[in-house]
């Protein structure tokens, strides 16, 4: 499901990727959007996301290091 949602986001113009994390012997797949730079741009993308996915839950804005951003 995560890859499918990532692809859907990409088709709508978002930069998206899947981050897989092993937790308690299970693998959790998180879909992340970004990276985006600057508060104004981040708020624009957040607004676009909320408009296109009004029922979405668990939307978090996180700050990542530039090293982490270069991976994606």
């Amino acid at each position: 499901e995560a890859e499918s949602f990532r692809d859907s986001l990409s088709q709508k113009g978002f930069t998206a990727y899947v981050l897989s994390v092993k937790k308690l012997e299970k693998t959790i797949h998180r879909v992340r959007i970004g990276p985006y730079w600057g508060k104004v741009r981040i708020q624009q993308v957040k607004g676009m996301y909320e408009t296109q996915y009004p029922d979405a839950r668990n939307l978090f804005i996180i700050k990542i290091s530039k090293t982490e951003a270069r991976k994606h």
Side-chain angles (χ1 to χ4, degrees), residues 10-53:
S10 294
Q11 290 174 357
K12 292 181 179 185
F14 295 96
T15 301
Y17 62 97
V18 175
L19 178 67
S20 298
V21 178
K22 189 147 185 144
K23 192 172 188 179
L24 300 175
E25 299 183 22
K26 291 184 178 182
T27 302
I28 298 170
H29 305 284
R30 297 177 177 151
V31 179
R32 293 203 169 168
I33 300 171
Y36 295 101
W37 307 110
K39 289 181 182 181
V40 172
R41 181 64 180 140
I42 291 167
Q43 290 302 320
Q44 288 172 337
V45 171
K46 181 178 183 269
M48 289 170 35
Y49 181 85
E50 290 171 338
T51 297
Q52 293 185 36
Y53 298 95

